[in-house]
Each structure stands twice: as C-alpha cells, then as structure tokens.
Amino acid sequence: MLTRIDHVGIACHDLEEKIAFYESTFGLIVASREVNEEQGVKEAMLHVADGPAGSSYVQLLEPLHPDTPVGKFLAKRGEGVHHVGYGVDDVTAALEAIGAKGVRLLDERPRHGSMGASIAFLHPKDVGGVLTELVQARRLEH
Ligand code: MC0
C-alpha cells in the first residue's frame, strides 16, 4: 500500500533560516514553496532523491498562526520532526483500508497538499506517536 517515503515534515520557527541551513549543509534544492491556509502553514519542499515510485523531499513547515497544528506542536515540543508522509497510489482507497483496521482518520476525505497532491492524516496516537500523512502525488500530464 505504501510506495515510498514522500517526505519528512519538519516544524520550524523561521522557514527562510531553515531553508538556508538545508541548502548550505546538505546541498538540497527547493522544489516548491506554498502557503496552505487550510493547514495553517507556510512550507517548502526540498528535493532529496528520485526513486522508481517517485520523488522524496524534506518539507519545512512554519506556522501561519500559533493556533494551528504546527503552531501548537512548536509551543509544546519545539522544533523537530512533525510528521512522516508516505506515498500511496490511491489515497481514498488507502484511507478506507486503514480506517477499517481501527486507526483514527483525521481526514475522512483527502485534502489539498503540497505540489498538487491529495493528502490525508492519521491520528498520531494510533500510529505509535507518529503523525502520519498519506500522499497521492499529482498525476503529471504526458
Ligand atoms: C500533536 N500530537 C502529536 C503531534 N501533534 N504527536 C506526534 N506528532 C505530532 N505532530 C499529540 C500531542 O502531543 C498530544 O498528546 C495529542 O497529540 C493531542 O495534541 P494537541 O496538541 O492537543 O493538539 P490537537 O489534538 O488539537 O491536534 C493534534 C492533531 C492535529 C494531530 C490531531 O495537529 C492535526 O489534525 N494534524 C493534522 C494536520 C496537520 O498537522 N497539518 C499541518 C501540516 P498528549 O500525550 O500530550 O495528549 S500540513 C502539511 O504537511 C501539508 C501542507 C502537506 O504535507 O502537503
């Protein structure tokens, strides 16, 4: 069901500062930057590698307001890994299969994610303390 690690989401206070750190320390390149009002974040995807099932990224996340998922996370735990995003071929089918196993779905239906993806989150308390995101990448036109 899971096809790859799509991205690791990292919460930070200052997006520009962290982008500069990942660029200068690891030589990563920014693939996209977006503001996602619905999710309450300003974020950047830095490309890590390409594999047979698609690409993987580091996602840097700065909250738009303190009262957002990432804002609350930063206040409680400080900067660090916020979630892991796994690639799936069909996020609706994956949600149905995972929900049937008793894992709480934070999204009953997919929402808009970075780079045109369809995404959905699973409750961290049901996944061993890890906020888990399912990512169906946007289909590229050929
Ligand atoms: C909260 N908890 C976490 C956590 N956030 N555990 C692991 N990883 C996280 N990121 C834990 C808290 O420590 C707490 O445990 C319990 O969950 C309840 O947390 P809370 O602080 O009271 O906050 P809630 O319940 O209001 O919300 C937590 C929840 C929420 C995970 C349900 O943040 C959520 O719905 N997240 C999904 C959406 C999201 O994160 N969006 C931002 C990224 P204790 O033991 O202290 O009770 S958007 C994104 O990434 C998009 C743009 C993309 O990838 O394309």
Side-chain angles (χ1 to χ4, degrees):
M1 180 194 296
L2 306 181
T3 59
R4 67 187 186 287
I5 292 177
D6 181 272
H7 66 269
V8 176
I10 297 174
C12 64
H13 292 291
D14 185 334
L15 183 64
E16 298 310 320
E17 180 196 292
K18 281 295 178 298
I19 288 172
F21 174 82
Y22 275 82
E23 284 176 337
S24 66
T25 306
F26 301 115
L28 297 187
I29 290 172
V30 174
S32 91
R33 285 171 187 254
E34 286 178 45
V35 172
N36 188 325
E37 297 277 354
E38 188 189 27
Q39 296 287 351
V41 293
K42 184 161 86 166
E43 52 96 2
M45 295 289 261
L46 286 81
H47 179 255
V48 177
D50 295 317
S55 302
S56 62
Y57 303 88
V58 169
Q59 181 183 49
L60 301 175
L61 301 154
E62 180 189 315
L64 293 176
H65 314 285
D67 191 19
T68 56
V70 176
K72 286 166 74 174
F73 178 92
L74 279 172
K76 223 174 192 174
R77 303 186 180 205
E79 293 188 318
V81 174
H82 178 259
H83 67 266
V84 176
Y86 294 103
V88 292
D89 288 331
D90 182 338
V91 66
T92 304
L95 274 179
E96 199 177 314
I98 293 166
K101 293 184 193 291
V103 173
R104 272 171 291 169
L105 311 177
L106 293 170
D107 302 299
E108 293 289 339
R109 265 177 266 134
R111 294 204 267 171
H112 164 71
S114 188
M115 300 197 296
S118 294
I119 61 168
F121 285 92
L122 311 177
H123 202 292
K125 293 289 177 196
D126 291 350
V127 194
V130 180
L131 177 60
T132 301
E133 178 182 345
L134 306 175
V135 182
Q136 180 182 334
R138 180 171 61 96
R139 291 205 190 290
L140 297 173
E141 306 294 333
H142 292 290

